[in-house]
Amino acid sequence: MIEICEVGPRDGLQNECKMVSTESKVELITRLLDSGIRNIEAVSFVNPKVVPQMADAEEVLKSLPKRNGVRYGGLVLSRSGLERALKTDVDFLHVVTTTSDSFNLRNAKRTVEQAVEELSLVIKDGASSGKGVSGVLGTSFGCPFEGEVPLENVLKAAERFLEAGCTEITLADTTGMANPVQVQKVAETFFDTFGMDLSLGLHFHNTRGLGLANVLAAHHAGVRRFDSSIAGLGGCPFAPKAVGNVCTEDMINMFHGMGADTGTDLPAVLETAKWMETVMERPLDGMLMKAGIA
């Protein structure tokens, strides 16, 4: 069974110039739920002055439908983000650091070691408050400023996060630098290090057109949890040229063609992607909405 973490409402919208209303965000998430997606990164608890598109996190969460088996996640980058999150009924905290000092110093003004130390305390407090906690490690496959990121650095950060209380780890290809051979090696190394019981997810951007190829490589290595964004929306406002996440409906179409179960209604997901084009008022990057379901 493939588990999809839909990141369109957060990672998909955060980089958009067009401001999307709270009502439209809630409708998007409701449509995704109706199509069978059960794990949704709905909001981000970041400084609204830095990422204004995410300023309405609390309002979005209050308006979302409450359904059994549905998990709403919220991005947390700091102690202040945790404090905001704990005042809501968000189910999972997605605690994020990058694994490149150059990237982290430019965007968070701290080294990876400093960030991991601070966020380990955030993870402990979040877990002790009853929230689920997922550790997200950015630049796991390369940094736009320093190139290769040693795999041992990524493993070390993951170990610290797991020790602090994370129940799962997601490796993020922040600027779309990964390739399939690298992805398979990294995933296999993670399972060799932490065991096959590790809940490992992968988050790819399609910046260089390798998003689905990387998903397939990770699948061959045993990964079954993947982030994706409806209609291919997204990017990282802190990373140059990091445009476009792996597209949800395109990924579902690939897995269905392979005979893998995603628990989703592909035509319904596709209709939501087309609806998002009307919301964003521009053509979006998904391929299936152009070609149709075979």
Side-chain angles (χ1 to χ4, degrees):
M1 178 75 172
I2 303 299
E3 180 186 350
I4 296 168
C5 178
E6 171 60 54
V7 300
R10 196 282 299 175
D11 197 14
L13 295 181
Q14 70 174 7
N15 213 30
E16 291 291 327
C17 295
K18 175 180 166 44
M19 295 296 291
V20 177
S21 69
T22 301
E23 292 74 21
S24 291
K25 292 176 184 176
V26 171
E27 182 172 354
L28 168 61
I29 292 168
T30 302
R31 284 171 172 261
L32 292 166
L33 294 178
D34 290 343
S35 70
I37 294 173
R38 290 292 176 265
N39 184 357
I40 297 178
E41 188 175 67
V43 297
S44 178
F45 299 102
V46 295
N47 188 336
K49 294 180 181 178
V50 178
V51 187
Q53 188 72 266
M54 296 289 107
D56 59 349
E58 288 82 357
E59 288 74 21
V60 169
L61 286 168
K62 287 177 183 176
S63 303
L64 290 177
K66 306 298 187 285
R67 300 185 187 178
N68 291 333
V70 169
R71 163 178 154 180
Y72 294 127
L75 193 77
V76 171
L77 300 176
S78 64
R79 170 66 55 178
S80 60
L82 173 67
E83 291 171 355
R84 282 180 62 194
L86 292 182
K87 295 175 183 176
T88 74
D89 59 357
V90 70
D91 301 304
F92 250 76
L93 310 177
H94 295 179
V95 178
V96 183
T97 184
T98 66
T99 52
S100 156
D101 279 332
S102 297
F103 195 100
N104 232 44
L105 285 166
R106 287 186 185 222
N107 296 295
K109 296 183 173 58
R110 57 179 65 86
T111 65
V112 173
E113 175 60 31
Q114 290 168 333
V116 169
E117 185 71 25
E118 176 187 332
L119 292 173
S120 291
L121 297 175
V122 167
I123 291 165
K124 288 178 182 177
D125 289 348
S128 66
S129 298
K131 303 290 188 185
V133 189
S134 175
V136 184
L137 303 177
T139 64
S140 287
F141 299 92
C143 169
F145 307 119
E146 62 185 62
E148 182 182 355
V149 174
L151 181 52
E152 63 186 37
N153 293 6
V154 186
L155 290 165
K156 181 180 176 182
E159 184 176 24
R160 294 276 298 278
F161 273 17
L162 290 167
E163 289 173 349
C166 286
T167 57
E168 58 187 44
I169 295 292
T170 296
L171 306 179
D173 183 22
T174 307
T175 52
M177 298 174 70
N179 67 73
V181 171
Q182 177 193 22
V183 167
Q184 187 158 352
K185 176 186 175 183
V186 169
E188 289 173 347
T189 301
F190 259 77
F191 286 131
D192 288 343
T193 303
F194 299 110
M196 289 302 295
D197 289 338
L198 172 69
S199 178
L200 180 65
L202 290 179
H203 176 112
F204 293 116
H205 284 203
N206 202 38
T207 313
R208 293 166 179 84
L210 291 176
L212 283 181
N214 288 331
V215 168
L216 183 59
H219 184 265
H220 287 327
V223 178
R224 295 295 181 268
R225 181 166 55 82
F226 298 96
D227 289 4
S228 63
S229 180
I230 191 73
L233 277 167
C236 175
F238 309 113
K241 301 179 182 179
V243 294
N245 288 277
V246 166
C247 174
T248 299
E249 65 272 16
D250 292 356
M251 185 176 76
I252 292 172
N253 182 65
M254 179 185 78
F255 279 129
H256 285 190
M258 293 164 52
D261 184 11
T262 66
T264 63
D265 178 346
L266 180 56
V269 177
L270 186 56
E271 285 306 307
T272 298
K274 293 176 179 177
W275 173 78
M276 275 308 293
E277 281 198 323
T278 68
V279 173
M280 302 314 299
E281 299 179 317
R282 67 176 180 85
L284 299 179
D285 293 337
M287 301 303 294
L288 199 65
M289 359 185 225
K290 303 172 180 65
I293 301 171

